Amino acid sequence: MLTLIGLWESVREFIATGGDVLYFVAAALFLMWVLMIERYWYLSAVFPKVRKQIIADWDARKDTTSWYAHRIRDAWISRASDNLQARLLIIRTLVAMCPLIGLLGTVTGMINVFETMSTQGTGNARLMAAGISMATIPTMAGMVAALSGLFFSSRLEAKAKMHKESLIDSLPHH
């Protein structure tokens, strides 16, 4: 219990030092990871069952060689591919947005530095340092968030592509 309270206090201090923009970075990071976990669950637990059903439906068909049968096969593959690719674009967009949100924090922090300089002069280094922290911490947080998502999102895309190719190979067309 004490470690959770200590962790919460550390997070609050970090956000206080980095500014309110960190809430937006955290929201984007949370949404990105929820979507990535959902995609991993779909690729690992749901799609194998869908794949098995598509293969069973194809094998149960009497006609697998006509033009019409090939269009049905293509439609099934297309529908499965759409389901495999679902939300991957949103994940990639969130990965790309995280550093940009961090840069918004940089701009906000630098505005605070300039406001401090205009009202207090350059003699108050402590107030200027607080603004500089507000300028650098969100950038770092946005970059870390993007890097955490970049690896896993590329992994998801590769896994989705592999599942699609495997499905195509499992549906022979004569």
Side-chain angles (χ1 to χ4, degrees):
M1 183 67 165
L2 289 175
T3 58
L4 285 177
I5 293 171
L7 179 64
W8 176 249
E9 287 301 316
S10 297
V11 169
R12 280 187 33 190
E13 287 175 25
F14 183 73
I15 290 176
T17 305
D20 292 337
V21 173
L22 288 178
Y23 288 113
F24 294 107
V25 173
L29 181 65
F30 177 76
L31 180 59
M32 179 177 63
W33 274 99
V34 165
L35 292 173
M36 286 193 297
I37 290 169
E38 184 274 335
R39 286 288 84 197
Y40 268 115
W41 174 77
Y42 180 81
L43 292 172
S44 301
V46 176
F47 186 74
K49 295 174 189 170
V50 171
R51 180 181 181 276
K52 192 178 290 185
Q53 183 61 48
I54 291 171
I55 292 170
D57 290 347
W58 181 254
D59 289 341
R61 291 184 54 84
K62 293 193 187 318
D63 173 27
T64 59
T65 59
S66 71
W67 179 89
Y68 182 71
H70 286 270
R71 297 299 73 81
I72 290 173
R73 176 185 179 274
D74 292 344
W76 289 351
I77 291 170
S78 179
R79 190 175 319 132
S81 179
D82 286 346
N83 289 336
L84 285 168
Q85 297 291 324
R87 290 176 282 293
L88 290 179
L89 180 61
I90 295 170
I91 293 169
R92 282 195 310 264
T93 303
L94 287 168
V95 167
M97 279 179 50
C98 283
L100 297 176
I101 296 169
L103 286 175
L104 177 64
T106 299
V107 171
T108 306
M110 290 311 295
I111 289 171
N112 286 343
V113 169
F114 294 137
E115 283 178 4
T116 300
M117 288 173 64
S118 69
T119 58
Q120 305 289 322
T122 58
N124 195 338
R126 188 175 299 252
L127 286 176
M128 286 176 42
I132 292 171
S133 290
M134 276 184 139
T136 56
I137 289 176
T139 304
M140 179 209 50
M143 296 297 249
V144 168
L147 286 173
S148 75
L150 188 62
F151 173 75
F152 290 103
S153 67
S154 63
R155 212 44 202 119
L156 281 171
E157 289 176 24
K159 200 169 185 180
K161 184 178 179 182
M162 182 187 68
H163 279 305
K164 178 185 174 185
E165 296 299 324
S166 173
L167 177 64
I168 290 170
D169 292 343
S170 298
L171 301 177
H173 58 291
H174 303 105

